[in-house]
Amino acid sequence: MIAKLKIVLSLCASVLLLTSCPNGLKNGLKGGLSGGKPNSINIGNASTATGLAYNQKGGFQVDKKFTGQLTGPNLVFIEGGRFTMGSLEEDIMGIHDNIERTVSVQSFYMDETEIANVHYLEYLDAVKRDSTQDFYESALPDTTVWRNDLAFNDPYVEQYLRFPGFRMYPVVGVSWKQSTDYCVWRTAAVNNNLATVPVAKEKKPKKGAAAAATTASATTRAAAPARLTIESGRVLPSYRLPTEAEWEYAAKAMIGTQQQDENQVNQRIYPWDGPSLRESTGKGRGNMLANFKRGRGDYAGIAGKSNDGAIITAEIYKYSPNDFGLYQMAGNVNEWVQDLYRPLSFQDFNDLNPVRRTDKDDKASRYDSKNQNSLITNKVRVYKGGSWADVAYWLAPGTRRYLDEDSSTATIGFRCAMISAGTNK
């Protein structure tokens, strides 16, 4: 009898608790489950874990207007998936450093173009105003990469970076370290811009002094950046150099060969279908598909129809984009990627989002660079894609080369990437 009485009292207390709370669990559960199961975009009106209502005064605040990650300037969404990473070309160099293997890459974003001179000059301007003279000087591209004692490239030394006619040409003469520093600055610049409060609009403007005061107040609010948090959904993840796997996946763009049931029509040697380096159909038939060195002494062909359009670099939007919408993923300039170079990385890589950031499982001491028996150290980074001065072999996404992270040339530039947060694809 006493046990039954305790049960009844307990049930009564529970009912009283549910009905007496102003924003109680009962109403909270109802709000949280309305409109179907919650997800990252539509989370409902209350917590499905506690039943407590969201956004009540003094309670847990959730931005319910979130509709997904913002797409940063110049970025293109790259849907992740499985692909065959590695070189499909004959290994004429005999290096065997990128043997074919199957890996999967998470969805991410990548710049649709290479970083141009005008973009890098914007960075230099910001650095000059906000940083030390030493850092500004360390950020300057090495324009002497154009100099050659046996060639007349002198105009490029002075003109290529700063002359307005070269604004939309890819920046060169930048090292891996300089490219990484640019990514850090760009992240801060983009997020600071997103944090700017828009000017308040008045439905019916007031007259006289009151109107002037209102306008001044709105201008002040607009100039003051808001302090955004990651929880707001308006803070973009960091810009960075793409991993080698991401770069190769994006360059091959196998999504363009997709058929039903995950079947693909063919593999790709280049970022387009077929073995040819020219357009095979349409009005552009016979035109070159990339900017590269066609043969010994032949950087552009003869003047006229067969010309590939550029003796040195070309503007970043020249030539058609690949099936992901990315321009110049073959030729024009090689591009830095994150990875530390090792010839046997294909053996050590994880098969999900592979990247080599350290010499784990392949120590630099194995290569004896101290005694000049190798160029491989913990400072050499991979670059990919081929350039205006490279033959067609290097246009294949699976080929790879390396250079010291502090070095630069007239044939290497870069583009940025970014993770796709809050997605399982």
Side-chain angles (χ1 to χ4, degrees):
M1 184 69 180
I2 295 176
K4 289 183 179 180
L5 181 60
K6 286 183 178 180
I7 293 173
V8 171
L9 290 173
S10 177
L11 290 172
C12 290
S14 298
V15 172
L16 181 63
L17 176 63
L18 289 170
T19 55
S20 61
C21 292
N23 300 308
L25 297 176
K26 183 177 181 181
N27 292 332
L29 288 170
K30 181 180 180 181
L33 297 176
S34 62
K37 292 183 179 180
N39 54 50
S40 60
I41 304 300
N42 178 21
I43 62 171
N45 297 318
S47 169
T48 55
T50 65
L52 296 173
Y54 292 137
N55 299 333
Q56 298 299 311
K57 186 175 181 180
F60 180 54
Q61 302 297 304
V62 178
D63 183 6
K64 297 184 63 177
K65 296 180 180 180
F66 177 73
T67 57
Q69 180 177 334
L70 300 174
T71 301
N74 202 46
L75 295 181
V76 172
F77 178 71
I78 310 295
E79 183 181 351
R82 176 204 70 207
F83 84 112
T84 302
M85 185 176 181
S87 181
L88 301 178
E89 277 276 47
E90 181 182 356
D91 190 3
I92 60 174
M93 306 297 291
I95 300 174
H96 306 296
D97 66 346
N98 203 18
I99 305 300
E100 294 177 44
R101 68 275 186 197
T102 300
V103 302
S104 292
V105 175
Q106 189 89 9
S107 295
F108 61 101
Y109 291 87
M110 180 178 272
D111 275 328
E112 68 175 356
T113 65
E114 296 148 340
I115 296 300
N117 285 322
V118 69
H119 302 140
Y120 203 84
L121 288 171
E122 179 186 15
Y123 164 58
L124 291 177
D125 178 70
V127 168
K128 190 172 186 178
R129 286 185 280 108
D130 298 334
S131 300
T132 64
Q133 182 64 22
D134 287 344
F135 185 77
Y136 171 72
E137 292 179 0
S138 71
L140 290 171
D142 181 8
T143 58
T144 64
V145 295
W146 291 103
R147 183 169 293 144
N148 188 314
D149 291 339
L150 300 178
F152 186 66
N153 294 331
D154 304 39
Y156 302 133
V157 175
E158 296 182 358
Q159 304 290 329
Y160 183 81
L161 175 64
R162 300 181 184 276
F163 185 71
F166 288 117
R167 285 173 181 165
M168 298 308 290
Y169 286 64
V171 66
V172 297
V174 289
S175 67
W176 182 91
K177 282 189 173 180
Q178 288 174 316
S179 303
T180 302
D181 287 340
Y182 174 89
C183 293
V184 173
W185 167 82
R186 185 179 178 188
T187 301
V190 171
N191 279 322
N192 285 341
N193 185 51
L194 287 174
T196 302
V197 180
V199 176
K201 294 182 179 180
E202 296 286 345
K203 292 183 179 180
K204 294 182 179 180
K206 298 180 181 179
K207 297 180 180 180
T214 301
T215 303
S217 175
T219 302
T220 301
R221 291 195 302 273
R227 297 189 64 181
L228 296 180
T229 62
I230 292 178
E231 289 82 358
S232 70
R234 290 183 56 80
V235 177
L236 289 178
S238 298
Y239 284 87
R240 55 176 173 78
L241 293 179
T243 67
E244 183 176 3
E246 287 175 335
W247 193 99
E248 195 170 319
Y249 176 80
K252 287 185 175 180
M254 295 300 294
I255 193 171
T257 68
Q258 192 71 44
Q259 285 190 330
Q260 294 180 352
D261 195 28
E262 298 185 354
N263 291 322
Q264 291 176 318
V265 179
N266 54 269
Q267 265 286 7
R268 280 180 167 166
I269 299 174
Y270 304 112
W272 52 81
D273 287 332
S276 175
L277 296 164
R278 297 176 183 266
E279 292 187 33
S280 58
T281 59
K283 294 181 179 179
R285 184 178 180 181
N287 291 343
M288 288 295 177
L289 292 166
N291 176 23
F292 65 103
K293 185 177 180 180
R294 296 165 40 159
R296 182 175 296 177
D298 185 359
Y299 289 85
I302 63 174
K305 188 174 181 180
S306 66
N307 198 308
D308 75 6
I311 288 181
I312 57 164
T313 56
E315 291 187 343
I316 57 177
Y317 286 103
K318 189 172 177 64
Y319 306 104
S320 300
N322 71 4
D323 288 327
F324 276 131
L326 304 174
Y327 292 83
Q328 308 274 26
M329 292 299 284
N332 209 29
V333 290
N334 290 286
E335 298 175 17
W336 289 112
V337 296
Q338 275 194 43
D339 293 55
L340 189 71
Y341 177 80
R342 286 294 185 272
L344 301 179
S345 284
F346 65 90
Q347 295 181 167
D348 305 325
F349 270 157
N350 194 304
D351 59 4
L352 173 62
N353 297 324
V355 64
R356 178 177 284 286
R357 288 174 287 193
T358 69
D359 64 352
K360 179 179 173 61
D361 297 329
D362 201 350
K363 299 295 181 182
S365 57
R366 296 177 55 187
Y367 298 92
D368 196 22
S369 61
K370 291 183 179 180
N371 295 318
Q372 298 183 344
N373 289 322
S374 174
L375 296 175
I376 298 175
T377 69
N378 282 341
K379 289 189 174 182
V380 291
R381 302 288 175 169
V382 178
Y383 64 91
K384 298 173 75 71
S387 76
W388 59 272
D390 290 318
V391 295
Y393 172 78
W394 297 109
L395 303 187
T399 57
R400 61 202 300 252
R401 287 176 284 182
Y402 61 92
L403 188 67
D404 190 280
E405 62 187 25
D406 291 315
S407 298
S408 58
T409 76
T411 62
I412 303 179
F414 70 102
R415 72 179 75 209
C416 302
M418 178 187 291
I419 64 168
S420 177
T423 177
N424 61 354
K425 288 187 177 180

